[in-house]
Amino acid sequence: MNKVKNYTTVNQKNTKKLMFWTAAWVISMAIAAFAPRFIWDFNTTLTIIGVLLNIAAGLGMLLANRQYLIDLDEMQRKIMLEAMGLTLGVGLVFGLSYELFEDIKLINSEPEISHVVIVMAITYLIANIKGHRKYQ
Amino acid sequence: MKNRLKVLRAERDWTQAQLADALNVSRQTINAIEKGKFDPSLPLAFKAARLFKMPIEEIFQEDTEEQ
């Protein structure tokens, strides 16, 4: 039973890489958001560096996620595709309805993008769990 | 689609993890194929046929009840 490359090893390596870049992106986002006010008193050069670092980490996260998806096997990729499709749909419908609710005065508060991100993250998580259960 | 993956694997005394390694997929995928919950793509089915040194139709058969 010769093997070219071990699926589990590649998957674990890709997961670790994705975790590293996601952590880097979250930390750099926190730095870009809070450091100008609390650390360097809105120094423009440092703020631009902070933002550029955040964008670079975001790019790293995107590429790591792309590689993660490419190296998944066909069933895992199908589960991910279904979860991502549902997440995109829910994000679109919820996001636009949320904004509409404010326009037509059904809600008083200003819609926050973070609320849409939370709904999308929860949808993705549930869809992923359901997808894995479906093929168990 | 029906398949004889579980029988063929048992005949060779392989675990799901070993077969998954040989086909370069996850153990969960082998489990889902064996249970008939997931139909493999043609390249994966051919890979399995090569591994078991059998014609593809001796491993995978059309499930006529699905028709």
Side-chain angles (χ1 to χ4, degrees), chain A residues 10-101:
Chain A
V10 171
N11 188 251
Q12 281 172 351
K13 201 180 106 191
N14 285 342
T15 306
K16 278 181 192 164
K17 212 181 265 183
L18 183 58
M19 277 169 63
F20 168 79
W21 280 109
T22 306
W25 178 70
V26 170
I27 292 166
S28 65
M29 176 72 91
I31 291 170
F34 300 114
R37 182 174 302 162
F38 299 112
I39 300 177
W40 54 66
D41 194 25
F42 296 101
N43 178 301
T44 310
T45 311
L46 289 174
T47 301
I48 289 171
I49 291 171
V51 169
L52 288 176
L53 279 175
N54 179 236
I55 291 169
L59 194 66
M61 183 177 70
L62 263 170
L63 293 174
N65 194 34
R66 180 179 174 269
Q67 196 58 50
Y68 177 83
L69 291 171
I70 286 171
D71 288 337
L72 283 178
D73 71 29
E74 53 192 62
M75 188 187 81
Q76 305 286 345
R77 210 178 295 145
K78 188 170 188 247
I79 292 171
M80 285 288 175
L81 180 70
E82 285 171 7
M84 288 191 292
L86 183 69
T87 304
L88 179 68
V90 168
L92 192 73
V93 171
F94 174 77
L96 291 176
S97 298
Y98 190 33
E99 203 200 345
L100 178 73
F101 290 165

Side-chain angles (χ1 to χ4, degrees), chain A residues 1-10 71-76 78 132-136, chain B residues 14 18-22 24-29 31-32 35 37-41 44 51:
Chain A
M1 297 212 343
N2 292 331
K3 54 199 173 191
V4 181
K5 59 175 182 172
N6 184 299
Y7 176 82
T8 313
T9 312
V10 171
D71 288 337
L72 283 178
D73 71 29
E74 53 192 62
M75 188 187 81
Q76 305 286 345
K78 188 170 188 247
H132 278 96
R133 280 197 179 162
K134 185 177 159 188
Y135 295 109
Q136 250 176 15
Chain B
W14 292 343
Q18 284 174 316
L19 180 58
D21 256 9
N24 202 29
V25 295
S26 65
R27 194 197 56 76
Q28 288 83 356
T29 298
N31 186 50
K35 286 185 171 177
K37 291 188 174 181
F38 177 74
D39 290 334
S41 65
L44 183 56
L51 180 71

